[in-house]
Amino acid sequence: MTMMLRCLALASALLVAPATSFLGINARKTRSNTRLHAGGPGYKIGAKTEGVLINNRFVVDELAKAVPDGVDMTEINLLRFALAHPDDERAAEKALLKAIKWRQTTGKHIVDSAREAVAKATADGGWDNEPVRDAAPHGDLINDFITPKAVITTSTADGDLVYVIRASQIDDKAMMDKVSVEQVCDFFLYAKEVHNIIANQRSATTGRMCSVIFANDIVGVRKAPDKRFSQALTSSSDQYESLYPSLAGPTMILNLPLILQAFVGLLKPLFPKSVQERLVFKRAPVLARMSELTPLATDPTLKRNFQREVVSLLP
């Protein structure tokens, strides 16, 4: 039991530290479903971008005035900071300027690499995942361990990103024997930036606010995480809400062993507070039957079935 709880603690960190397997993120354009709540972004999943902007127009305009000259922050970028600090314009501005400072200094190489990689990935109008993986910080070392078999980003039919991870298929100890905590942290921050770029672009071009839904498949988890890996994930996840506010949607813990299902109420405190409020524990048979996650990018029928399963599991 103790071992499984420690593994779930790892899962909580992984959920807010997306990796760079972005295969199959293109989505069909369908009618948006507005009944689902993101439980964190400050809007319902499927909400119209224009409507959310109208409701937050004053703060967004004020934040635009605070952006330093030469810094590119779109209205959607600003909107997410406004949503994260409702009724507190000063707090929103403080958070925005802190994130901008990171983007101009410590995180500049991450931001620049992600922007260039996404431009290459979408150059032909579709999505070529290789430029994104190739440009990941320290990807020459980490990509051998963080693969589409264990981590992948796909989409719902409506266009929300779905970040899926099966931690049991990541050999974290072997990876951490080759890389440092700082290198892994940079890798995950880069992945978050890629998610952020895609979600904001979709929010602007489709007229529908795009969120990132987290799906953590517990199938196969049998051991506690490597301490160094946990440290890297914690460092990365600590920055998630401050650098990318109002982006994360529901967090789903899927296929929890029967022995732990009776203890769901005790498991929630293991997760960061920002995750607890949008946490969902469910069974996902489609996902559980998969031996690895790669087919979500290569098998249209399986992907469609998983898309439907995700929507059915959301609150």
Side-chain angles (χ1 to χ4, degrees):
M1 176 67 73
T2 300
M3 187 71 72
M4 183 62 73
L5 293 177
R6 293 177 65 188
C7 291
L8 283 172
L10 165 64
S12 70
L14 285 169
L15 282 166
V16 286
T20 51
S21 292
F22 290 95
L23 293 171
I25 64 170
N26 293 323
R28 294 183 295 109
K29 293 184 178 180
T30 62
R31 183 178 178 181
S32 297
N33 187 334
T34 59
R35 70 178 178 85
L36 305 173
H37 292 265
Y43 56 85
K44 292 181 179 180
I45 288 185
K48 299 296 184 182
T49 303
E50 183 179 2
V52 181
L53 273 169
I54 289 174
N55 292 337
N56 295 273
R57 173 53 62 189
F58 176 78
V59 177
V60 170
D61 287 345
E62 291 301 305
L63 291 179
K65 297 175 184 177
V67 176
D69 292 339
V71 175
D72 181 22
M73 296 293 285
T74 67
E75 276 199 330
I76 304 301
N77 286 129
L78 301 178
L79 175 60
R80 295 194 186 277
F81 282 91
L83 290 168
H85 302 278
D87 305 316
D88 195 339
E89 176 191 334
R90 184 169 297 180
E93 180 178 331
K94 181 178 179 180
L96 171 65
L97 293 178
K98 181 178 179 180
I100 288 176
K101 181 178 180 181
W102 177 83
R103 299 175 71 84
Q104 291 181 315
T105 55
T106 306
K108 188 176 187 304
H109 68 290
I110 294 173
V111 173
D112 290 345
S113 294
R115 183 181 62 252
E116 294 171 5
V118 171
K120 292 178 181 178
T122 57
D124 64 355
W127 181 265
D128 179 4
N129 199 57
E130 288 309 304
V132 177
R133 283 180 59 81
D134 291 344
H138 320 294
D140 57 327
L141 299 174
I142 299 175
N143 281 339
D144 288 339
F145 299 95
I146 305 293
T147 74
K149 291 183 178 181
V151 182
I152 197 167
T153 301
T154 184
S155 298
T156 65
D158 285 333
D160 289 302
L161 297 177
V162 183
Y163 167 66
V164 192
I165 182 167
R166 183 174 285 175
S168 62
Q169 292 185 323
I170 300 176
D171 190 344
D172 55 342
K173 184 181 185 305
M175 179 175 67
M176 296 310 301
D177 285 341
K178 293 188 175 183
V179 297
S180 68
V181 169
E182 291 73 19
Q183 287 174 322
V184 175
C185 185
D186 283 351
F187 181 89
F188 283 131
L189 286 173
Y190 165 85
K192 294 174 184 177
E193 179 65 20
V194 173
H195 272 166
N196 186 59
I197 293 171
I198 297 168
N200 288 345
Q201 287 178 347
R202 288 187 178 182
S203 297
T205 59
T206 68
R208 176 187 183 281
M209 290 297 293
C210 178
S211 299
V212 180
I213 299 168
F214 299 99
N216 191 335
D217 185 17
I218 303 299
V219 166
V221 173
R222 295 290 183 271
K223 63 179 182 178
D226 184 274
K227 291 182 179 180
R228 298 163 295 176
F229 191 40
S230 295
Q231 183 181 347
L233 294 173
T234 299
S235 176
S236 177
S237 64
D238 283 346
Q239 301 179 68
Y240 185 76
E241 293 295 337
S242 60
L243 295 176
Y244 307 103
S246 308
L247 182 63
T251 294
M252 299 186 294
I253 307 299
L254 304 176
N255 301 314
L256 195 67
L258 292 175
I259 192 174
L260 288 180
Q261 290 183 18
F263 300 95
V264 166
L266 300 176
L267 298 179
K268 284 192 175 183
L270 292 174
F271 295 81
K273 290 183 178 180
S274 60
V275 174
Q276 290 181 34
E277 62 184 10
R278 57 179 186 268
L279 198 58
V280 178
F281 292 86
K282 296 285 186 177
R283 299 291 297 174
V286 173
L287 187 60
R289 287 193 294 267
M290 297 169 55
S291 60
E292 61 179 64
L293 302 182
T294 308
L296 288 176
T298 60
D299 187 329
T301 299
L302 185 56
K303 178 181 177 180
R304 182 166 57 252
N305 290 339
F306 177 68
Q307 289 174 332
R308 293 170 178 169
E309 182 170 72
V310 167
V311 172
S312 71
L313 295 175
L314 290 172

